[in-house]
Amino acid sequence: MIKQLTRSLCALTVAASLSPCWAATDPSKIHDSLVVMDTHLDTPALLVQPGFDIMHAHTYSDDFSQVDVPRMDEGGLDGGFWVIYTPQGPVDEEGFEAARDTALLRAMAIHKMVASHPDTFALAKEPEDAKNIAAQGKKIVYISMENAYPLGEDLSLLDTFYKMGLRMIGPVHFKNNQFGDSSTDPEGPKYDGLSPLGEKLVKRANELGIVLDGSHAHDALVEDMIALSKTPIILSHSGTKAIYDHPRNVDDSLLKKLVESGGVIHVNAYGSYLTELPSDPERSKAYGVLFKQMGDIANMTAEEVAALKAKRKQIDLEHPAVRATFEDYMEHFLHILEVAGPKHTGVGADWDGGGGVERMMDVAALPLITERLLAEGYSKDDLADIWGNNALRLLQQAQDYADSLDQ
Ligand SMILES: [Zn+2]
C-alpha cells in the first residue's frame, strides 16, 4: 500500500515535470552501480556478417545494428544471454543437419568474439560469473539457444552445446517443430504443447542445469514446461496480452502460473507485439525481397553486405517505418511488474532480433528504463533484481537441481 502510494506520488511529480522524485536518487548513478543484463541478445547474428566489428561504434540509422561495445558502455549494459538462433526449416533429417551446422557456427562465432577480445568479454557459465565478470569491467557472455530445432532428434547434441557453454534453451520459434508447438504457427498447434521428444528435452535440460525458455512457445507448451520442469522457467523476451492481444504475449492467468512456479518474464521491445501498428504492404513486400537476398549473408563479401544495407536504407526512406513508442514498451513493463512483481520481471528487448522502440532503438538508451522505473517508485533493490538477479536465480536453481542428481 505504501509502495503504491509512493509510486503514485512519484508518477505525479514526474507528470508535473517537478524535479526528481524524492523517492529516487540519481538514476544514472543507480543504473551504473547495477549488474545490467538483457536475456535476449540476438547480436551473434551480426557477428557472422562480414564487415561487422563489435568493438566499433555503429548507429542504428547507419547499419541497423543495436549492440556494440561502445554502445554497451554508454547504456551501462554489462552483457547477458547471447543467442544461438536458427530459423525453423523442414522437420526432417536434411533440415536438422543444415540447422545443426548453422547453430554450431553461431556458437563458434560467440566463442570467437570472446577469444578475440579477452580484455573486453568473458564467457559466463555459473550464476556467480556475472558479478565477477562485471567487477572486472568486462562484458558478460552467457549463451542461450532460440529454437532447439538444430538438435534434431538426437538429444546428445544438447550435451555438446552445454559443454560449449549453453545455459538457456527455448524449444521452438515461429513454427511447430519436433519438440512441440509454437505460438505463431499458421497451422495451429500439433501436439497441444510439448511433443514426447519435447518432454525428453525438458528432462535432459533439467539434468544438465540449463534454464528452459518459453518465449515463442504456444501457451500450452509454456504450461507443459511449467508443470514438467523441475526448476522454474523463463520467458526471455515476451509481453502481455493484457496490453496487446498477440499470440507472442501471455495473459495474466498464465503469467500468474509462471510466477507461482518461481518463473521469470523478461519484457520484449518488439514493436508489432507491443501494439497494433499500421500495415504498409509496399514496405512489407520490399522487405520480403530484401530479406530473401540477405539469406546467405555470412557468405557474402563486406561490400555485398554494405550494398544490401544501402538498399534497406532506401526502402526505409521510401516507406518509413512506423514504430511502437517507449511508452508502449513501458505499458507492457508496468503491467507485468504489477502482476508478476519485481522478483519475476526483467528485460529481454530482442536487440538485433527485431526489438527497439522510438527513443530506445539501441542499448545506449537502456538507462531510460531504470529512470522510468525509479520514477514509478521501484527501488534500487527492485532494479537489481530486474536487471540481473532474477535471471541469475533461475540459473542457480537449474544448476542446484543438476548438482543434486549427483550424476
Ligand atoms: Zn525471438
Side-chain angles (χ1 to χ4, degrees):
M1 184 64 196
I2 288 171
K3 196 165 189 183
Q4 289 260 321
L5 190 65
T6 309
R7 279 182 205 151
S8 317
L9 284 171
C10 285
L12 262 180
T13 57
V14 167
S17 302
L18 299 176
S19 66
C21 171
W22 47 266
T25 53
D26 184 350
S28 68
K29 279 203 181 115
I30 289 177
H31 187 79
D32 288 346
S33 73
L34 303 173
V35 175
V36 172
M37 298 203 299
D38 180 293
T39 47
H40 197 78
L41 299 167
D42 262 320
T43 312
L46 300 188
L47 296 176
V48 297
Q49 276 187 15
F52 181 79
D53 183 350
I54 193 144
M55 300 302 285
H56 288 172
H58 305 71
T59 60
Y60 183 82
S61 56
D62 191 46
D63 72 353
F64 305 97
S65 72
Q66 298 175 303
V67 180
D68 52 44
V69 170
R71 282 182 289 180
M72 290 177 80
D73 287 338
E74 197 184 334
L77 179 64
D78 293 300
F81 284 79
W82 300 66
V83 181
I84 300 169
Y85 160 67
T86 315
Q88 186 59 51
V91 183
D92 58 27
E93 272 314 315
E94 213 178 313
F96 295 153
E97 232 171 79
R100 180 198 60 204
D101 292 352
T102 304
L104 285 168
L105 286 171
R106 199 58 62 92
M108 280 161 68
I110 299 172
H111 278 266
K112 193 175 157 201
M113 174 184 81
V114 175
S116 308
H117 311 289
D119 296 334
T120 305
F121 294 100
L123 195 65
K125 291 179 178 174
E126 313 297 325
E128 60 271 20
D129 289 347
K131 282 194 177 76
N132 294 336
I133 292 168
Q136 292 168 37
K138 295 186 191 180
K139 312 297 182 211
I140 304 154
V141 183
Y142 286 106
I143 299 178
S144 65
M145 185 180 278
E146 178 174 39
N147 200 3
Y149 167 58
L151 302 179
E153 290 173 331
D154 172 11
L155 289 184
S156 70
L157 258 181
L158 184 62
D159 294 48
T160 306
F161 278 104
Y162 175 80
K163 285 176 192 149
M164 293 176 85
L166 186 74
R167 292 296 181 272
M168 183 190 292
I169 190 165
V172 292
H173 191 244
F174 282 161
K175 287 183 172 179
N176 306 336
N177 66 16
Q178 70 271 32
F179 297 110
D181 297 329
S182 163
S183 61
T184 49
D185 194 310
E187 312 262 297
K190 183 177 173 190
Y191 298 100
D192 198 25
L194 284 165
S195 71
L197 188 66
E199 290 176 4
K200 285 185 189 158
L201 175 74
V202 169
K203 187 166 181 279
R204 189 63 193 145
N206 281 164
E207 287 166 359
L208 289 167
I210 296 175
V211 176
L212 289 150
D213 180 1
S215 281
H216 286 285
H218 192 277
D219 288 353
L221 197 157
V222 175
E223 299 218 22
D224 280 357
M225 287 208 298
I226 290 172
L228 194 62
S229 176
K230 300 289 185 190
T231 70
I233 72 162
I234 193 169
L235 305 181
S236 68
H237 59 304
S238 289
T240 165
K241 280 193 171 93
I243 301 296
Y244 184 53
D245 191 2
H246 188 284
R248 270 289 277 111
N249 298 331
V250 290
D251 66 18
D252 285 354
S253 84
L254 186 51
L255 188 53
K256 282 176 191 159
K257 273 187 200 166
L258 177 82
V259 169
E260 275 160 26
S261 66
V264 172
I265 177 170
H266 282 236
V267 188
N268 198 357
Y270 194 103
S272 54
Y273 304 157
L274 294 175
T275 187
E276 182 81 47
L277 295 174
S279 70
D280 180 345
E282 290 295 315
R283 180 181 160 88
S284 310
K285 200 174 142 198
Y287 258 86
V289 172
L290 182 78
F291 282 146
K292 260 196 193 127
Q293 292 170 338
M294 289 174 106
D296 196 24
I297 205 160
N299 291 318
M300 291 177 189
T301 63
E303 290 73 28
E304 286 168 333
V305 174
L308 283 176
K309 285 187 176 158
K311 259 192 201 175
R312 185 170 170 178
K313 269 195 238 178
Q314 189 59 33
I315 296 173
D316 277 8
L317 212 62
E318 287 167 16
H319 313 284
V322 181
R323 297 189 199 293
T325 65
F326 181 67
E327 276 313 302
D328 292 326
Y329 180 63
M330 289 313 299
E331 254 192 88
H332 280 257
F333 214 124
L334 294 172
H335 178 81
I336 287 171
L337 270 170
E338 209 55 54
V339 176
K343 293 246 176 246
H344 300 271
T345 306
V347 178
D350 212 351
W351 300 117
D352 291 319
V357 291
E358 265 177 39
R359 290 181 68 212
M360 193 178 75
M361 278 310 289
D362 61 20
V363 295
L366 286 177
L368 283 177
I369 298 175
T370 295
E371 194 182 305
R372 180 61 192 279
L373 293 180
L374 288 168
E376 290 287 336
Y378 289 96
S379 68
K380 183 182 170 184
D381 285 349
D382 292 336
L383 267 297
D385 289 340
I386 289 165
W387 278 119
N389 290 343
N390 295 335
L392 294 173
R393 167 175 60 80
L394 257 54
L395 187 56
Q396 186 72 58
Q397 286 173 282
Q399 295 200 354
D400 287 348
Y401 175 76
D403 291 345
S404 76
L405 297 175
D406 200 28
Q407 295 164 83

